[in-house]
Amino acid sequence: EHRARHKNGEWIWVLDRGSVVKRDHQGQPLRAAGTHLNITPRKKAEQDLLAAHEELERRVEERTRELSEAQAILVNRAMEEGRAQLAAMVLHNIGNAITPVVIYLEQFKTNRLFEISRFQRRCLEELQSHREQLTDFVNDDARGREIFSLLEKLVDELPRELEQRRELLAKISATIGHVGEIISLQQSYTGAGREIKEIVDLNVLVTDTLRLQEDTISKRRIGVTLKTTEPAPRVLIDKNRLIQVLVNLIKNSCEAIEHNQAEACRALAIETFSDEREAGLLIRDSGIGIESERLESIFVFGESGKGSSGFGLYYCKMFIEANRGRIEVSSRGPGQGATMKVVLPLPLPTPPKGENHGN
């Protein structure tokens, strides 16, 4: 195998095979015959496949290291702060994200390229075995006439196989990126130390959360509408943990939309609201919907289904209720979308300094 310059000026890879076919009475060669086969597509496929494997190994090694570090941090915090259930859900979510990588890798290991190469080799051997009668073989023999047609198909098949492998690699990279996103979110929002409460503007919080989820939403081609109320609703809560809840709910809605094959409109609507005592937000999606008998059970620890990102609605409900709020879900049924409603109490007004409350 060597490189050679084609008559069109391009450099190609050539498989060069030949042998002596005639010798004199002293054994000296008089005539040699051989073939040149353009194997550039196979060489390119092998190089691209090698590069893809190396890139995949680098990404997996990098994410595995980050995953191990994040996992150790999460487990230690859960043990120290009594949040073992939260850590279990985080690790469960990471496990769910890793599973598709294993499946894609198995598909990546198919020997399709080697089968194509094997068929090409068989064609070449067939031609070589008839090299002394090559003209008659390719013109008069049915098998000989089929060889060139088969070679053309094999050459066409190589780019398609390579493209499929590139698509698999893109899926693997996207999934590993999702794992990295989970790790980053958990490292940011799990919280180092005690809960820190502050006055939070829900309008700003929702906008920031949508910006955080912008890549996930755009990749799924989901149209988002945001309706905010004025004056801006404000609640007293741990901002980072509330963001984590919203990220979870939005991810669930996006995945539910993606699973709804019957719905042509891929829509997500978010609305903030407030009254004299409460404030909150609504998240409506055009997803797969929820059966009436599952409306209560989806908040049970460990419950999951289509459209669930794996973070766990149980944690969302636990956190909201711990802050004297409530979270509700409604749906008209399968294929009809769903609505999540998060309600939180307004902060109590701070009395002026020096005001006498006694009597």
Side-chain angles (χ1 to χ4, degrees), residues 42-313:
R42 176 169 68 83
K43 278 291 186 180
K44 185 177 186 304
E46 291 174 354
Q47 292 168 358
D48 288 347
L49 184 59
L50 179 60
H53 274 299
E54 292 175 350
E55 175 66 12
L56 178 61
E57 289 177 0
R58 185 190 68 78
R59 286 174 176 264
V60 170
E61 181 179 351
E62 178 181 329
R63 292 307 184 190
T64 300
R65 176 179 54 79
E66 293 180 0
L67 176 60
S68 299
E69 294 173 357
Q71 181 175 348
I73 293 172
L74 290 172
V75 171
N76 288 336
R77 285 180 179 172
M79 292 177 63
E80 293 170 359
E81 303 175 21
R83 298 199 297 266
Q85 286 183 326
L86 175 58
M89 285 184 286
V90 172
L91 299 178
H92 177 66
N93 180 55
I94 294 174
N96 285 345
I98 286 291
T99 299
V101 175
V102 178
I103 296 173
Y104 295 145
L105 280 174
E106 287 301 316
Q107 296 176 3
F108 207 84
K109 293 177 182 177
T110 58
N111 293 323
R112 181 63 178 162
L113 282 176
F114 300 102
E115 291 178 6
I116 293 173
S117 179
R118 182 165 56 85
F119 279 120
Q120 287 180 329
R121 183 175 296 277
R122 287 178 58 184
C123 291
L124 178 60
E125 290 172 351
E126 190 75 28
L127 290 172
Q128 287 180 327
S129 65
H130 295 84
R131 58 176 174 264
E132 294 186 3
Q133 304 89 24
L134 195 57
T135 301
D136 295 337
F137 178 64
V138 298
N139 290 324
D140 301 332
D141 192 306
R143 290 170 58 192
R145 290 193 298 270
E146 289 177 359
I147 282 180
F148 286 100
S149 175
L150 179 58
L151 282 173
E152 290 178 359
K153 291 179 180 179
L154 291 176
V155 170
D156 291 339
E157 188 69 21
L158 272 171
R160 284 195 292 267
E161 178 64 20
L162 181 59
E163 183 60 30
Q164 290 177 359
R165 287 173 177 261
R166 284 176 176 167
E167 291 176 1
L168 281 175
L169 182 61
K171 291 180 180 179
I172 292 171
S173 298
T175 306
I176 293 175
H178 178 55
V179 174
E181 182 184 35
I182 294 170
I183 293 172
S184 298
L185 285 171
Q186 291 304 318
Q187 288 175 328
S188 299
Y189 303 138
T190 299
R194 296 181 179 180
E195 187 176 64
I196 301 176
K197 291 189 176 183
E198 59 184 297
I199 299 296
V200 176
D201 184 327
L202 287 184
N203 290 349
V204 174
L205 191 77
V206 171
T207 302
D208 290 344
T209 306
L210 284 174
R211 188 178 297 112
L212 181 66
Q213 295 293 98
E214 185 176 4
D215 187 57
T216 298
I217 294 171
S218 62
K219 283 182 179 178
R220 290 180 166 91
R221 301 187 302 279
I222 297 173
V224 178
T225 57
L226 174 60
K227 181 180 179 181
T228 56
T229 188
E230 294 295 341
R234 301 175 183 272
V235 295
L236 179 64
I237 201 165
D238 186 305
K239 178 180 178 180
N240 287 337
R241 297 186 183 185
L242 182 57
I243 289 179
Q244 184 179 357
V245 169
L246 296 186
V247 166
N248 189 6
L249 297 179
I250 292 173
K251 276 182 174 289
N252 283 349
S253 291
C254 289
E255 293 177 2
I257 292 170
E258 191 171 37
H259 280 92
N260 191 4
Q261 304 295 332
E263 178 59 61
C265 177
R266 303 165 70 87
L268 179 67
I270 302 179
E271 177 182 347
T272 61
F273 63 86
S274 66
D275 56 27
E276 295 179 354
R277 296 181 304 167
E278 298 176 327
L281 55 95
L282 296 170
I283 302 176
R284 299 187 180 91
D285 65 62
S286 60
I288 55 176
I290 306 171
E291 300 88 345
S292 58
E293 60 271 17
R294 290 190 60 240
L295 288 175
E296 293 299 326
S297 65
I298 65 170
F299 293 106
V300 176
F301 177 73
E303 179 74 13
S304 64
K306 290 183 177 179
S308 173
S309 70
F311 271 115
L313 290 173

